[in-house]
Amino acid sequence: MKYLLDGDPGHDDMLAILLAVRHLEVVGVTTTHGNTSVDNATRNALQWVDFLGRPDIRVARGRAHPLLNSPVDSSVGNGSSGAAGAVLPEATTETYMSDAIAFLLGASHRYHSDLAIIATGPLTNIASALLADPSLGERIQEISLMGGSLAGGNSTAAAEFNIWADPEAAAVVFASGIPLRMFGLNVTERAGVTSSHIQRIREIGSDLAIVVADILQHVRIARRQVFAVDDAPLHDPLAVATFIDPGIFTLRDMRVDIELHGNHTRGMTVVDARSLTGSTDSPSLNRAVAPMRAANCQVAVDVDVDAFFDLLIDSIRTYDVHAIRAAAGAGEDHDS
Ligand code: RIB
Ligand code: CA
């Protein structure tokens, strides 16, 4: 399998990219508005893949604005750069593709059903690609996405940020028929990084480990200032971990729809978790219960948090930048 990451780096997006580069065959990173501007996200992605020893990974700049919404500013916690707390060397290459949609469609033709997309930001790029070429869904294997929740939100009382930032885009993706895995706040907010995790990472001592520990320390401080809580959820890497160690998660087939019009619920993932057996022989009861619609998503309903952090920390510990950079140098040319 080949993997294309689409996100808004952003601290936790960067950890998602780290896990993916360490364990999976990554053929590209497409960037979108969200945590920060798409220009910041693109620069952060370029610097990060270079720092990870993979300057060969194609980075493609995506949409600067949601399909309909005006852009949201989520610089709280991410700073003006979108990756506050990460002190990285300048990227050795400023080469990025200027059109993420063309790059994404090109990758789908090149890799067909060997390609999976891992989405860790607003879904604007993927929705734009689907609107440009509806046959995209026939070519890619699946989409794993961090977004939504079984109940409750973080951007509003009802909506999680990635969905809330572009609800129309999310509606296009969830209606596309593409097999989906959804990692919502109900599992990602349980993956809260603690000072003990940060200490375990810092003690690894490598340049990468120190940078990651500094990033996570910044995230914890920022979150404490905004939400007055003492841990910081690492949302995005869960959407990658599912491909590395599927046993960490429990997934259930469910129907997920996106609320577009609610005064208080716009951007909410409406997840039908009911266990209906079908119609009853009571006409009045049948009228009282709307039938379930066909499932369109595998929803993560549980996560082994310790196993996730063991995977993340072991991935940092065993990450050999020099070996990865050398192997990449000998690697084949990626998408043009
Ligand atoms: O709600 C969490 C999501 O919003 C994460 O993907 C984070 O990076 C931000 O994009
Ligand atoms: Ca993100």
Side-chain angles (χ1 to χ4, degrees), residues 8 12-13 35 120-121 162 236:
D8 54 344
D12 54 339
D13 303 75
N35 274 320
T120 61
N162 287 340
D236 295 333

Side-chain angles (χ1 to χ4, degrees), residues 65-81:
H65 303 295
L67 295 184
L68 291 185
N69 263 2
S70 54
V72 293
D73 170 19
S74 71
S75 55
V76 170
N78 298 293
S80 58
S81 71

Side-chain angles (χ1 to χ4, degrees), residues 31-33 36-45 61-62 64 81 96:
T31 59
T32 178
H33 67 89
T36 185
S37 70
V38 69
D39 290 327
N40 278 343
T42 304
R43 190 194 62 251
N44 294 337
R61 182 186 183 279
S81 71
Y96 61 86

